[in-house]
Amino acid sequence: MNNSAAQKDAPPAAPGSLSHWLAGHADLASEMGGTLLGLVEPLSLLAAIKSLATGRYVFASAGLDRLFERSESSVVGSVDNDLMRAEEVVAMRRVEQAVMAQRTITVSEHRLELGGRRREFTVTRAALGSEFVLSVWQERTEERHRESHLQRALQQLEQQQKALEQIRRELQQGSGRDEVSGLYLQAQFDDQLLREIDLSTREHREFALVIIALDPAPAAVQAQGEEANQRLLEGMGRMLRANTRAMDAACRVGHSRFAVLLSGVGLATAHARMEQLRRQCMAQIIVLNGQDMGLSLSMGVSSFPHTASKHEELWSASEAAVHEAQRRGGNQVVLASIPFGG
């Protein structure tokens, strides 16, 4: 192939592209290559250029010499058979041929056994002309080990959460509480709310009513179906049981909503407590099939008697506030508006 003819037929480089800039600064081209390599090596990236005509490396950064334990001779001049096992060589060659055929930047994963240890790499390749392949290597061994350890830890946590929920269900059987969350049912909660209104009216004190809605889960979580939703409801139940005082009350209302009564608490304190709960829920690890699903909440807070002094009006005010939290994108606490005038 006549490379000079091909270069003449090639379309001109677009203004602003690297090729266009290099065309006007040909004297800097070789210097730039060395400079770029000097920039990537501190990032633990290893670079090489291989001739596919001979199969030999014509350039290798110092990191590759260390990787393949070449203390006396360089990787330059070697072929893959000198450096790795036969099946690893085949995998390398397959990707290189695809890069030359497709003329696109290609990213592939490779496992190499070096010094008796299995090591993992992400290799990014691009064609240089019709004969050479430029490759940039990034080792992933420790990262993959950490991911593996994390996955095992998540699986263990998932088993513990399932076991605890099973024990909790057995202990609460026949208690009249919601089976999934372990919280009061709404009828019991309404009775306590009415008593709180009566007591607070007589004693001239405040309390707060909070409506909590689970925000829509990411698509990957929704794809796991109802079991994923049940795990989130169980997690929310655990958080509310752990973060409500003896004089407070929490219940499940509807499919994915909860209500909390904060006795003797004003609007500012209620907001602070619910903001703390929201942050704690965000930090919770709730696991299904080895995946941390996260827990995002929208909360609406109303106050007796400042927001409203009647049962239905308190519910409506808290509901309106939680709708506003969802309208704003979720994962936040919104205070119900306080009416003025009259």
Side-chain angles (χ1 to χ4, degrees):
M1 179 178 179
N2 189 332
N3 286 331
S4 60
Q7 290 172 358
K8 290 179 181 178
D9 294 338
S17 68
L18 179 61
S19 298
H20 184 268
W21 183 83
L22 285 174
H25 300 80
D27 56 319
L28 296 178
S30 59
E31 180 182 342
M32 191 188 73
T35 301
L36 286 176
L37 288 172
L39 291 174
V40 302
E41 285 241 332
L43 301 175
S44 298
L45 300 175
L46 314 175
I49 299 175
K50 182 193 288 186
S51 167
L52 293 190
T54 64
R56 298 187 181 278
Y57 288 93
V58 297
F59 167 80
S61 60
L64 274 178
D65 284 337
R66 293 191 294 271
L67 177 67
F68 290 108
E69 299 180 351
R70 291 299 176 113
S71 56
E72 297 181 359
S73 62
S74 170
V75 168
V76 172
S78 301
V79 296
D80 284 333
N81 283 308
D82 300 328
L83 306 172
M84 57 193 76
R85 298 181 303 172
E87 62 268 27
E88 297 165 352
V89 172
V90 171
M92 291 280 179
R93 179 53 61 90
R94 184 183 303 116
V95 179
E96 290 165 352
Q97 290 173 341
V99 170
M100 298 305 292
Q102 299 168 8
R103 312 298 293 181
T104 58
I105 294 175
T106 302
V107 180
S108 59
E109 303 290 326
H110 296 275
R111 292 183 177 182
L112 306 180
E113 188 158 328
L114 301 172
R117 179 189 176 203
R118 179 64 63 88
R119 297 169 69 171
E120 300 186 36
F121 300 87
T122 296
V123 182
T124 305
R125 295 179 176 86
L128 292 178
S130 59
E131 179 184 347
F132 299 100
V133 172
L134 169 65
S135 60
V136 176
W137 298 48
Q138 183 174 19
E139 184 162 7
R140 301 285 193 180
T141 308
E142 296 305 321
E143 178 184 336
R144 299 290 158 76
H145 284 172
R146 288 194 296 270
E147 290 174 354
S148 177
H149 291 320
L150 176 60
Q151 194 63 33
R152 285 197 294 270
L154 288 174
Q155 290 170 351
Q156 291 173 358
L157 180 59
E158 181 177 359
Q159 293 304 314
Q160 291 171 359
Q161 288 177 346
K162 287 181 178 179
L164 288 172
E165 286 301 322
Q166 182 60 35
I167 293 170
R168 192 265 305 164
R169 283 190 174 89
E170 292 172 358
L171 291 174
Q172 289 187 345
Q173 195 168 17
S175 67
R177 294 198 171 207
D178 175 57
E179 181 180 347
V180 176
S181 67
L183 302 173
Y184 286 121
L185 298 174
Q186 187 168 354
Q188 298 167 300
F189 183 84
D190 275 333
D191 288 341
Q192 186 156 344
L193 177 57
L194 289 171
R195 288 196 299 270
E196 188 72 24
I197 291 173
D198 181 60
L199 181 63
S200 297
T201 300
R202 286 188 281 109
E203 297 187 357
H204 304 287
R205 68 178 191 180
E206 300 172 298
F207 72 86
L209 175 64
V210 185
I211 302 295
I212 303 172
L214 296 185
D215 291 329
V221 175
Q222 293 185 26
Q224 300 195 59
E226 184 56 31
E227 186 178 3
N229 187 67
Q230 180 165 314
R231 291 284 180 274
L232 292 172
L233 294 174
E234 291 171 351
M236 191 66 226
R238 287 194 298 272
M239 293 301 297
L240 287 176
R241 295 196 305 273
N243 286 276
T244 48
R245 305 166 301 170
M247 67 281 287
D248 298 332
C251 80
R252 181 182 173 193
V253 290
H255 186 258
S256 58
R257 295 165 84 83
F258 300 84
V260 181
L261 169 62
L262 299 175
S263 179
V265 169
L267 199 58
T269 302
H271 180 275
R273 285 184 56 186
M274 290 301 100
E275 177 61 25
Q276 181 181 26
L277 174 63
R278 184 191 68 80
R279 292 177 183 273
Q280 290 177 351
C281 288
M282 282 185 64
Q284 282 296 298
I285 298 175
I286 300 176
V287 191
L288 177 62
N289 298 327
Q291 177 186 355
D292 179 13
M293 297 186 292
L295 187 58
S296 176
L297 309 173
S298 293
M299 301 185 182
V301 184
S302 66
S303 172
F304 174 95
H306 306 293
T307 306
S309 57
K310 295 182 180 179
H311 176 276
E312 294 79 7
E313 293 172 353
L314 280 168
W315 274 105
S316 296
S318 294
E319 287 283 3
V322 83
H323 283 308
E324 177 61 18
Q326 291 174 320
R327 188 191 68 79
R328 296 179 187 178
N331 192 30
Q332 58 188 287
V333 183
V334 170
L335 298 178
S337 58
I338 296 176
F340 292 95

